[in-house]
Amino acid sequence: MEIRSRIFEKYTNYQCSIPLKDGDRVLVKGKKIKEGDLLLEKSESTLKKSINLPKVLNCKSNEGSEKYVLKMDGEYIEKGELLAQKVSSGRLNLTELFSPVSGVLDFSRIKQGYIDILGEERKSIVRSDFTGTINGVDPIEGLLISTDVVCIDGVVSSKTEDNLFGNLKILGDGNTILTEKILEDDYRGKIVWVGPYLYNRVAIELFERGAVAVLTYAMSYTEFREIGLPIMILGGFGSVHCDGSFLKKFLSFKNKFVIMNGNENQLFILSNSDFKHRGWFVSQYENQSVISRSPSTYGSIGKVLEYDRDTSFVLVDFGKRGTSLIHIGLLDFVDL
Amino acid sequence: MDILPVLKKNSYLTVLIKDNYISANLAYTDLSVQRTYVLSDRTDLSPLKFRLDDIVFNKEFWFEYFNSLEKVFDWDIIDREWGDNFKIKEFEREEVGVTGIKVIVDDNQPFFKNIFLSLKEFSKDIVLRILDDRYMEVLVKGLVNRLEYDDIVWLDLDFSHFSIYRGKKEKDGNIKFVLTKIDWANEIGLIDFVKSSKLNAFLSVDSSSEDILNRWANCIAHGYEYISDAMLNDIIRAFTTLQILSTKQSNKEKFDELGKLNTAIFISGKIPQLLEIRELLLSVIDGLELDGVFDLFVDRESKLFTYGRSMIEKEESESIVVLKGDILPKAIKLLIPEVPSKSKSKIIFSGKIYSQLLEPHEIYSLGSSLEIFKLPSRDEKLLIEGELKNGTVFSHLSFKQIQYISSKKVLEYEYLVIDGRSRPIVYGPSPHDNRVKLRIWGNGDKE
């Protein structure tokens, strides 16, 4: 039997938390919250500079570069002041990092290897774009809520200790492979969808500009292993086709709050949905949606035209991409 | 007139959850008229991914599973008078009811605890068992006795878990059981392994290319069920060979005297589902460094996992009495002689296949190659006879002549394999060298 993979899974009353930072003020009144209600007053500062500590201090990926930092989170630092120092090769080698700008140090992304230097502070109001229940405010977890979410499975993601929380930011039209030239200055608080393919240098630029995490459909396995930053891949490695029928639904979640769970490769979007899931098991193959894992049509989503039980080969209609004869073992049945 | 209980009609459903697959085998027996069979189905759990530990994986999933299984087997399994409560339909006759359902969950299965608990919550009617090392010990030891082999080696080959179990009859009549395992903690390590120089020595494609790494990573991440890509096929062959060889080399004492007694090799897991027969044979022969005579069984439908113990226990089985012929997969007779260097390009084996329906069929095998003969499957019985030629001998067996019978419903052979490659088998040093060697070793299969 074949199980139908639910690309967008609906979870009702999912319990999660919105992390709170110093200076954030909860504005929610009562237990119930609906779209448009006041959620938080956030105190945010302009990002003056992000420094990739392991890169500057030449640290190994598992070395833990934060131990070389000489300043404290929230401390003010002057331009040219010593920020971090690494002694190596039996005290023969000294690497020093001086602050390139004056500002307040923010270590909220230090586990990912980044130190942010912030400028002047400003207040902003965050409104809810979901319906749910407030279960409480916890000093460690943040604002505890239960709400309906949509879950998408990633193929792989960088392992992160905590869930990462942010707004889903779509780069460009979400369907074009982009270079770093089009990037804006500030991606703090954003989980960024870069499009169907991610190049290393775009990811690095996004993290330098404050992104919480980066989402893509595909990237090179080698680059994924090298980068060591919070990235989730939804499709696969290498040149993988990102099908329009997936993308159309995914892009409809633009600007929604999302939670990335790197340990379980799952992305939760805080959003109501009207998906009507079909049963788990495929009873009849004809006219079912499938995604191809065959090298020539990898990632394409199509409909089954015919199934030959004797040979286990399936004739699939991929629309504009034509029809292909594919072994059933190279097809995943999907519920879109 | 009453008939003996053992002869009464019976049917039983056993489900195995292992390597992210649900393998269901429904056995039916009516021994009074010699009508017995096993219906099989496999379901890949991979599409559920991490939802296996989420609230969406619950008793409704199992209800839907058994509901769908009824349609696949065309057999009533659920008693629908109980509505949403799952109750087993009592056995009445062929296609209606089962006397019981047993679900065996492998202790290596991802989210073992969640699966086990979801089944426990689903129904009290279902018997739950765990497939662990103790289960395998009883199974392997039982098979040594039941199938009258002196030595059984069981290779359970999955990408993340390689397990080898061995049951060997000692001189005092006891069966000594040993096991050895390789476990990969995570997928990333497994994907990265393709870049290792050790693996490279076994490959016939160059693994340094970015494209190969991406393909291998996709294969592991998506859990393919079929391989159409020659490069991936080669990586899996090389990976399997190296894993088995490493296991053997680091546990030499557990593999002593392999092939010196009447030996059978059982293979199970995901990898045998993906590899072609030739690649699988190369991996097993070269990984275990075999020589001698072996019977090889590939348990593709997990019948031995699900009903192997019933087959061993015969009429004392707690579930159902099953016949050997319904449970044992078709066997491969594997002959691995020592070929003198002067006979590298000569005939090293000649023989005949005698069938009831066809004229006797002559077969021969040349040195330097691994030859695979597919045996005719129409006959109830086949007699296969042959002799080693041109100085070719079995290194630790005194005979040169082979004679065996393939019999349906008892012990049916699907292939005769003669490995005439010169020993020791040496791979590498480069993928190009391996390409040349594999071409020489595979100079045409006979059917």
Side-chain angles (χ1 to χ4, degrees), chain B residues 75-142:
Chain B
W75 203 288
D76 294 343
I77 298 168
I78 307 166
D79 188 345
R80 295 188 191 282
E81 283 182 15
W82 294 83
D84 289 344
N85 292 324
F86 180 86
K87 290 276 174 193
I88 298 171
K89 174 105 181 154
E90 267 186 49
F91 177 72
E92 287 173 25
R93 58 180 190 277
E94 201 170 348
E95 297 177 5
V96 181
V98 287
T99 51
I101 299 176
K102 189 194 291 176
V103 180
I104 307 166
V105 190
D106 182 21
D107 62 355
N108 270 332
Q109 166 64 35
F111 307 111
F112 166 82
K113 200 175 157 192
N114 295 69
I115 293 171
F116 203 83
L117 291 176
S118 70
L119 282 159
K120 223 172 169 178
E121 191 199 345
F122 170 61
S123 174
K124 299 276 180 284
D125 282 10
I126 292 175
V127 178
L128 282 172
R129 294 281 182 269
I130 297 171
L131 177 68
D132 54 9
D133 294 340
R134 176 70 193 141
Y135 186 98
M136 288 307 294
E137 182 175 353
V138 174
L139 182 57
V140 171
K141 282 181 169 176

Coordinates of all heavy atoms in Angstrom, one line a residue, chain B residues 75-142:
Chain B
W75 N -10.1 -9.5 2.2 CA -10.2 -10.4 3.3 C -10.9 -9.6 4.5 O -10.3 -8.5 4.8 CB -8.9 -10.9 3.8 CG -8.9 -12.2 4.6 CD1 -9.4 -12.3 5.8 CD2 -8.5 -13.5 4.1 NE1 -9.3 -13.6 6.2 CE2 -8.7 -14.4 5.2 CE3 -8.0 -14.0 2.9 CZ2 -8.4 -15.7 5.1 CZ3 -7.7 -15.3 2.9 CH2 -7.9 -16.2 3.9
D76 N -11.9 -10.0 5.1 CA -12.6 -9.3 6.2 C -11.7 -9.5 7.4 O -11.5 -10.6 7.9 CB -14.0 -9.8 6.4 CG -14.9 -9.5 5.3 OD1 -14.6 -8.7 4.5 OD2 -16.0 -10.2 5.2
I77 N -11.3 -8.4 8.0 CA -10.4 -8.4 9.2 C -11.1 -7.7 10.4 O -10.9 -8.1 11.5 CB -9.0 -7.7 8.9 CG1 -8.3 -8.5 7.7 CG2 -8.2 -7.7 10.1 CD1 -7.1 -7.7 7.2
I78 N -11.9 -6.7 10.1 CA -12.5 -5.9 11.1 C -13.9 -6.3 11.4 O -14.7 -6.4 10.4 CB -12.4 -4.4 10.8 CG1 -11.0 -3.9 10.4 CG2 -12.9 -3.5 11.9 CD1 -10.9 -2.6 9.7
D79 N -14.3 -6.4 12.6 CA -15.6 -6.7 13.0 C -16.3 -5.3 13.1 O -16.1 -4.5 14.1 CB -15.7 -7.4 14.4 CG -17.1 -7.9 14.7 OD1 -18.0 -7.4 14.0 OD2 -17.3 -8.7 15.6
R80 N -17.2 -5.0 12.1 CA -17.7 -3.6 12.1 C -18.9 -3.4 13.0 O -19.4 -2.3 13.1 CB -18.1 -3.3 10.6 CG -16.9 -3.3 9.8 CD -17.1 -2.8 8.4 NE -15.8 -3.1 7.6 CZ -14.7 -2.4 7.7 NH1 -14.7 -1.4 8.5 NH2 -13.6 -2.8 7.0
E81 N -19.3 -4.4 13.7 CA -20.4 -4.2 14.6 C -20.0 -3.3 15.8 O -20.9 -2.8 16.5 CB -20.9 -5.6 15.2 CG -21.7 -6.3 14.2 CD -22.2 -7.6 14.7 OE1 -22.2 -7.8 15.9 OE2 -22.6 -8.5 13.9
W82 N -18.7 -3.1 16.0 CA -18.2 -2.4 17.2 C -18.0 -0.9 16.8 O -17.4 -0.2 17.6 CB -17.0 -3.0 17.7 CG -17.2 -4.4 18.3 CD1 -17.3 -5.5 17.6 CD2 -17.5 -4.7 19.6 NE1 -17.6 -6.6 18.5 CE2 -17.7 -6.1 19.7 CE3 -17.6 -3.9 20.8 CZ2 -18.0 -6.7 20.9 CZ3 -17.8 -4.6 22.0 CH2 -18.1 -6.0 22.1
G83 N -18.4 -0.5 15.6 CA -18.2 0.9 15.3 C -16.8 1.4 15.2 O -15.9 0.8 14.6
D84 N -16.5 2.4 16.0 CA -15.1 3.0 16.0 C -14.1 2.2 16.8 O -12.9 2.5 16.8 CB -15.2 4.4 16.5 CG -15.8 5.4 15.5 OD1 -15.9 4.9 14.4 OD2 -16.2 6.5 15.9
N85 N -14.6 1.2 17.6 CA -13.7 0.4 18.4 C -13.2 -0.8 17.5 O -14.0 -1.5 16.9 CB -14.4 -0.2 19.6 CG -14.7 0.9 20.6 OD1 -13.9 1.8 20.8 ND2 -15.9 0.8 21.3
F86 N -11.9 -0.9 17.4 CA -11.4 -2.0 16.6 C -11.5 -3.3 17.2 O -11.0 -3.6 18.3 CB -9.9 -1.7 16.3 CG -9.3 -2.7 15.4 CD1 -9.4 -2.6 14.0 CD2 -8.6 -3.8 15.9 CE1 -8.9 -3.5 13.1 CE2 -8.1 -4.7 15.0 CZ -8.2 -4.6 13.7
K87 N -12.2 -4.2 16.6 CA -12.3 -5.6 17.1 C -12.0 -6.5 15.9 O -12.4 -6.2 14.7 CB -13.7 -5.9 17.6 CG -14.1 -5.2 18.9 CD -13.5 -6.0 20.1 CE -13.7 -5.2 21.4 NZ -13.0 -5.8 22.5
I88 N -11.4 -7.6 16.2 CA -11.0 -8.5 15.1 C -12.2 -9.3 14.7 O -13.0 -9.8 15.5 CB -9.9 -9.4 15.5 CG1 -8.6 -8.6 15.9 CG2 -9.6 -10.5 14.5 CD1 -7.5 -9.4 16.6
K89 N -12.4 -9.5 13.4 CA -13.5 -10.3 12.9 C -13.0 -11.8 13.1 O -12.0 -12.2 12.6 CB -13.7 -10.1 11.4 CG -14.6 -10.9 10.7 CD -15.9 -10.2 10.4 CE -16.9 -11.1 9.7 NZ -18.3 -10.7 10.0
E90 N -13.9 -12.5 13.8 CA -13.5 -13.9 14.1 C -13.4 -14.7 12.8 O -14.2 -14.5 11.9 CB -14.5 -14.5 15.0 CG -14.2 -14.4 16.5 CD -15.1 -15.1 17.4 OE1 -15.4 -16.3 17.1 OE2 -15.6 -14.5 18.4
F91 N -12.5 -15.7 12.8 CA -12.3 -16.5 11.6 C -13.5 -17.4 11.3 O -14.0 -18.1 12.2 CB -11.0 -17.3 11.7 CG -10.8 -18.2 10.5 CD1 -10.4 -17.7 9.3 CD2 -11.1 -19.6 10.6 CE1 -10.3 -18.5 8.2 CE2 -10.9 -20.4 9.5 CZ -10.5 -19.9 8.3
E92 N -14.0 -17.3 10.1 CA -15.1 -18.1 9.7 C -14.7 -19.1 8.6 O -14.9 -20.3 8.6 CB -16.3 -17.3 9.2 CG -17.0 -16.6 10.3 CD -18.1 -15.6 9.8 OE1 -18.6 -15.8 8.7 OE2 -18.4 -14.6 10.5
R93 N -14.1 -18.5 7.6 CA -13.7 -19.3 6.4 C -12.7 -18.4 5.6 O -12.4 -17.3 6.0 CB -14.9 -19.6 5.5 CG -15.7 -18.4 5.0 CD -16.9 -18.8 4.2 NE -17.4 -17.6 3.6 CZ -18.2 -16.7 4.2 NH1 -18.6 -17.0 5.4 NH2 -18.7 -15.6 3.5
E94 N -12.2 -19.0 4.5 CA -11.3 -18.3 3.6 C -11.9 -16.9 3.2 O -13.1 -16.9 2.9 CB -11.1 -19.1 2.4 CG -9.8 -18.7 1.6 CD -9.4 -19.7 0.5 OE1 -10.1 -20.8 0.5 OE2 -8.6 -19.4 -0.3
E95 N -11.2 -15.9 3.4 CA -11.5 -14.5 3.1 C -12.4 -13.8 4.1 O -12.8 -12.7 4.0 CB -12.2 -14.4 1.7 CG -11.3 -14.7 0.6 CD -11.9 -14.7 -0.8 OE1 -13.1 -14.3 -0.9 OE2 -11.3 -15.1 -1.7
V96 N -12.8 -14.6 5.2 CA -13.6 -14.0 6.2 C -13.0 -14.3 7.6 O -13.0 -15.4 8.1 CB -15.1 -14.5 6.2 CG1 -15.9 -13.8 7.3 CG2 -15.7 -14.2 4.9
G97 N -12.4 -13.2 8.2 CA -11.9 -13.3 9.6 C -10.5 -13.9 9.7 O -10.0 -14.5 8.8
V98 N -10.0 -13.6 10.9 CA -8.7 -14.1 11.3 C -8.7 -14.6 12.7 O -9.5 -14.0 13.5 CB -7.5 -13.1 11.1 CG1 -7.2 -12.9 9.6 CG2 -7.8 -11.8 11.8
T99 N -7.9 -15.6 13.1 CA -7.9 -16.0 14.5 C -7.2 -15.1 15.4 O -7.3 -15.1 16.6 CB -7.4 -17.4 14.6 OG1 -6.1 -17.4 14.0 CG2 -8.3 -18.5 14.1
G100 N -6.4 -14.2 14.8 CA -5.6 -13.3 15.6 C -4.8 -12.3 14.8 O -4.6 -12.6 13.6
I101 N -4.4 -11.2 15.4 CA -3.4 -10.3 14.7 C -2.3 -10.1 15.7 O -2.5 -9.8 16.9 CB -4.1 -8.9 14.4 CG1 -5.3 -9.1 13.5 CG2 -3.1 -8.0 13.8 CD1 -6.1 -7.9 13.2
K102 N -1.1 -10.2 15.1 CA 0.1 -9.9 15.9 C 0.9 -8.8 15.2 O 1.0 -8.8 14.0 CB 1.0 -11.2 16.0 CG 2.1 -11.0 17.0 CD 3.2 -12.1 16.7 CE 2.6 -13.5 17.1 NZ 3.6 -14.6 16.8
V103 N 1.3 -7.8 16.0 CA 2.2 -6.8 15.4 C 3.5 -6.8 16.1 O 3.6 -6.8 17.3 CB 1.5 -5.4 15.6 CG1 2.4 -4.3 15.0 CG2 0.2 -5.3 14.9
I104 N 4.5 -6.9 15.3 CA 5.9 -7.0 15.8 C 6.6 -5.7 15.5 O 6.6 -5.3 14.3 CB 6.7 -8.2 15.2 CG1 5.9 -9.5 15.4 CG2 8.1 -8.3 15.8 CD1 6.4 -10.6 14.5
V105 N 7.1 -5.0 16.5 CA 7.8 -3.7 16.2 C 9.3 -3.9 16.5 O 9.7 -4.3 17.6 CB 7.2 -2.6 17.1 CG1 7.8 -1.2 16.6 CG2 5.7 -2.6 17.0
D106 N 10.1 -3.5 15.5 CA 11.6 -3.6 15.6 C 12.0 -2.6 16.6 O 11.6 -1.4 16.5 CB 12.2 -3.4 14.2 CG 13.7 -3.5 14.3 OD1 14.2 -4.2 15.2 OD2 14.4 -3.0 13.4
D107 N 12.9 -2.9 17.5 CA 13.4 -1.9 18.5 C 14.3 -0.9 17.9 O 14.6 0.1 18.5 CB 14.0 -2.6 19.7 CG 15.3 -3.4 19.4 OD1 15.6 -3.5 18.2 OD2 15.9 -3.9 20.3
N108 N 14.7 -1.1 16.6 CA 15.5 -0.1 15.9 C 14.6 0.9 15.1 O 15.1 1.8 14.5 CB 16.4 -0.7 14.9 CG 17.8 -1.0 15.5 OD1 18.2 -0.3 16.4 ND2 18.4 -2.0 15.0
Q109 N 13.3 0.6 15.0 CA 12.4 1.4 14.2 C 12.3 2.8 14.8 O 12.1 3.0 16.0 CB 11.0 0.8 14.2 CG 9.9 1.6 13.8 CD 10.0 2.0 12.3 OE1 10.5 1.3 11.5 NE2 9.6 3.3 12.0
P110 N 12.5 3.9 14.0 CA 12.4 5.2 14.5 C 11.0 5.5 15.1 O 10.0 4.9 14.6 CB 12.5 6.1 13.2 CG 13.2 5.3 12.2 CD 12.8 3.8 12.5
F111 N 11.0 6.2 16.2 CA 9.8 6.4 17.0 C 9.1 5.2 17.5 O 7.9 5.0 17.5 CB 8.8 7.3 16.2 CG 9.4 8.5 15.7 CD1 9.6 8.7 14.3 CD2 9.9 9.6 16.5 CE1 10.2 9.8 13.8 CE2 10.5 10.7 16.0 CZ 10.6 10.8 14.6
F112 N 10.0 4.2 17.9 CA 9.5 2.9 18.3 C 8.4 3.1 19.4 O 7.4 2.5 19.4 CB 10.7 2.1 18.9 CG 10.3 0.9 19.7 CD1 10.0 -0.3 19.1 CD2 10.3 1.0 21.1 CE1 9.6 -1.4 19.9 CE2 9.9 -0.1 21.9 CZ 9.6 -1.3 21.2
K113 N 8.7 3.9 20.4 CA 7.9 4.1 21.6 C 6.5 4.6 21.1 O 5.4 4.1 21.6 CB 8.5 5.0 22.6 CG 7.9 4.9 24.0 CD 8.7 5.8 24.9 CE 7.8 6.2 26.1 NZ 8.4 7.2 26.9
N114 N 6.5 5.6 20.3 CA 5.2 6.2 19.8 C 4.4 5.2 19.1 O 3.2 5.1 19.2 CB 5.5 7.4 18.9 CG 6.2 8.5 19.6 OD1 7.3 8.4 20.0 ND2 5.4 9.6 19.9
I115 N 5.0 4.4 18.2 CA 4.3 3.4 17.4 C 3.7 2.4 18.3 O 2.6 2.0 18.2 CB 5.3 2.8 16.3 CG1 5.6 3.9 15.3 CG2 4.6 1.6 15.7 CD1 6.7 3.5 14.3
F116 N 4.6 1.9 19.2 CA 4.1 0.9 20.2 C 2.9 1.4 21.0 O 1.9 0.7 21.1 CB 5.3 0.5 21.1 CG 5.2 -0.9 21.7 CD1 5.6 -2.0 21.0 CD2 4.7 -1.0 23.0 CE1 5.5 -3.2 21.5 CE2 4.6 -2.3 23.5 CZ 5.0 -3.4 22.8
L117 N 3.0 2.6 21.5 CA 1.9 3.1 22.4 C 0.7 3.4 21.5 O -0.4 3.1 22.0 CB 2.4 4.4 23.0 CG 3.4 4.2 24.1 CD1 3.9 5.6 24.7 CD2 3.0 3.4 25.3
S118 N 0.8 3.8 20.3 CA -0.3 4.1 19.5 C -1.1 2.8 19.2 O -2.3 2.7 19.1 CB 0.1 4.8 18.2 OG 0.8 3.9 17.3
L119 N -0.3 1.7 19.0 CA -1.0 0.4 18.8 C -1.7 -0.1 20.0 O -2.7 -0.7 20.0 CB 0.1 -0.6 18.3 CG 0.5 -0.5 16.9 CD1 1.8 -1.1 16.6 CD2 -0.6 -1.1 16.0
K120 N -1.0 0.1 21.2 CA -1.6 -0.3 22.4 C -2.9 0.4 22.7 O -3.9 -0.2 23.2 CB -0.6 0.0 23.6 CG -0.4 -1.1 24.6 CD 0.7 -0.7 25.5 CE 0.7 -1.7 26.7 NZ 1.8 -1.4 27.6
E121 N -2.9 1.6 22.3 CA -4.2 2.4 22.5 C -5.2 2.0 21.5 O -6.4 2.1 21.8 CB -3.8 3.9 22.3 CG -4.9 4.9 22.8 CD -4.7 6.2 22.1 OE1 -3.6 6.6 21.6 OE2 -5.7 7.0 22.1
F122 N -4.8 1.6 20.4 CA -5.7 1.3 19.2 C -6.6 0.1 19.5 O -7.8 0.1 19.4 CB -4.8 1.0 18.0 CG -5.6 0.5 16.8 CD1 -6.6 1.2 16.3 CD2 -5.2 -0.7 16.3 CE1 -7.3 0.7 15.2 CE2 -5.9 -1.2 15.2 CZ -6.9 -0.5 14.7
S123 N -6.0 -1.0 20.0 CA -6.8 -2.2 20.3 C -6.1 -3.1 21.3 O -4.9 -3.3 21.2 CB -7.0 -2.9 19.0 OG -7.7 -4.1 19.2
K124 N -7.0 -3.6 22.1 CA -6.5 -4.6 23.1 C -6.5 -6.0 22.5 O -5.9 -7.0 23.1 CB -7.4 -4.6 24.4 CG -7.5 -3.3 25.1 CD -6.3 -3.1 26.1 CE -6.4 -1.8 26.8 NZ -6.0 -0.7 26.0
D125 N -7.1 -6.2 21.3 CA -7.2 -7.5 20.7 C -5.9 -7.9 20.0 O -5.6 -9.0 19.8 CB -8.2 -7.4 19.6 CG -9.6 -7.5 20.1 OD1 -9.8 -7.5 21.4 OD2 -10.6 -7.7 19.3
I126 N -5.0 -6.9 19.7 CA -3.8 -7.2 19.0 C -2.7 -7.6 19.9 O -2.5 -7.0 21.0 CB -3.4 -5.9 18.2 CG1 -4.4 -5.6 17.1 CG2 -2.0 -6.0 17.6 CD1 -4.1 -4.3 16.3
V127 N -2.0 -8.6 19.5 CA -0.8 -9.1 20.3 C 0.4 -8.3 19.9 O 0.7 -8.2 18.7 CB -0.6 -10.6 20.0 CG1 0.7 -11.1 20.8 CG2 -1.8 -11.4 20.4
L128 N 1.0 -7.7 20.8 CA 2.2 -6.8 20.5 C 3.5 -7.5 20.9 O 3.6 -8.1 22.0 CB 2.1 -5.5 21.2 CG 1.2 -4.4 20.6 CD1 1.0 -3.3 21.5 CD2 1.7 -4.0 19.2
R129 N 4.5 -7.6 20.0 CA 5.8 -8.2 20.3 C 6.9 -7.2 19.8 O 6.7 -6.4 18.9 CB 5.9 -9.5 19.5 CG 5.0 -10.6 20.0 CD 5.5 -11.2 21.3 NE 4.6 -12.3 21.7 CZ 3.5 -12.2 22.5 NH1 3.2 -11.0 23.0 NH2 2.8 -13.2 22.8
I130 N 8.0 -7.4 20.4 CA 9.2 -6.6 20.0 C 10.2 -7.4 19.3 O 10.6 -8.5 19.8 CB 9.8 -5.9 21.3 CG1 8.8 -5.0 21.9 CG2 11.1 -5.1 20.9 CD1 9.2 -4.4 23.3
L131 N 10.7 -6.9 18.2 CA 11.8 -7.6 17.5 C 13.1 -7.0 18.0 O 13.5 -5.9 17.7 CB 11.7 -7.3 16.0 CG 12.8 -7.9 15.1 CD1 12.7 -9.4 15.1 CD2 12.7 -7.4 13.7
D132 N 13.8 -7.9 18.8 CA 15.0 -7.4 19.4 C 16.1 -8.5 19.2 O 15.8 -9.5 18.5 CB 14.9 -7.0 20.9 CG 14.2 -8.1 21.7 OD1 14.1 -9.2 21.2 OD2 13.8 -7.9 22.8
D133 N 17.2 -8.4 19.9 CA 18.3 -9.4 19.7 C 17.8 -10.8 20.2 O 18.2 -11.8 19.6 CB 19.5 -8.9 20.4 CG 20.1 -7.7 19.8 OD1 19.8 -7.4 18.6 OD2 20.8 -7.0 20.4
R134 N 17.0 -10.8 21.3 CA 16.6 -12.0 21.8 C 15.6 -12.8 20.8 O 15.7 -14.0 20.6 CB 15.8 -11.8 23.1 CG 15.2 -12.9 23.8 CD 16.2 -13.9 24.4 NE 15.6 -15.2 24.7 CZ 16.1 -16.4 24.5 NH1 17.3 -16.5 24.0 NH2 15.4 -17.5 24.9
Y135 N 14.8 -12.0 20.2 CA 13.9 -12.5 19.2 C 14.7 -13.1 18.0 O 14.4 -14.2 17.6 CB 13.0 -11.4 18.6 CG 11.9 -11.8 17.7 CD1 10.6 -11.9 18.1 CD2 12.2 -12.0 16.3 CE1 9.6 -12.3 17.2 CE2 11.1 -12.4 15.4 CZ 9.9 -12.5 15.9 OH 8.9 -12.9 15.0
M136 N 15.7 -12.4 17.6 CA 16.6 -12.9 16.5 C 17.3 -14.2 16.9 O 17.5 -15.1 16.1 CB 17.5 -11.8 16.1 CG 16.9 -10.7 15.3 SD 15.9 -11.3 13.9 CE 17.1 -12.0 12.8
E137 N 17.7 -14.2 18.2 CA 18.5 -15.4 18.7 C 17.6 -16.7 18.6 O 18.0 -17.7 18.1 CB 18.9 -15.2 20.1 CG 19.8 -16.4 20.6 CD 20.3 -16.1 22.0 OE1 20.2 -15.0 22.5 OE2 20.9 -17.1 22.6
V138 N 16.3 -16.5 19.1 CA 15.4 -17.7 19.0 C 15.2 -18.1 17.6 O 15.2 -19.2 17.2 CB 14.1 -17.3 19.8 CG1 13.1 -18.4 19.6 CG2 14.4 -17.0 21.2
L139 N 15.0 -17.0 16.7 CA 14.7 -17.3 15.3 C 15.9 -18.0 14.6 O 15.7 -19.0 13.9 CB 14.3 -16.0 14.6 CG 13.9 -16.0 13.1 CD1 12.7 -17.0 12.9 CD2 13.6 -14.6 12.6
V140 N 17.0 -17.5 14.8 CA 18.2 -18.1 14.1 C 18.5 -19.5 14.6 O 18.7 -20.4 13.8 CB 19.4 -17.1 14.2 CG1 20.7 -17.8 13.7 CG2 19.2 -15.8 13.5
K141 N 18.5 -19.6 15.9 CA 18.8 -21.0 16.5 C 17.7 -22.0 16.0 O 18.0 -23.1 15.6 CB 18.8 -20.9 18.0 CG 20.0 -20.4 18.6 CD 19.9 -20.4 20.1 CE 21.3 -20.1 20.8 NZ 21.1 -20.0 22.2
G142 N 16.4 -21.5 16.0 CA 15.3 -22.4 15.5 C 15.5 -22.8 14.1 O 15.2 -23.9 13.7

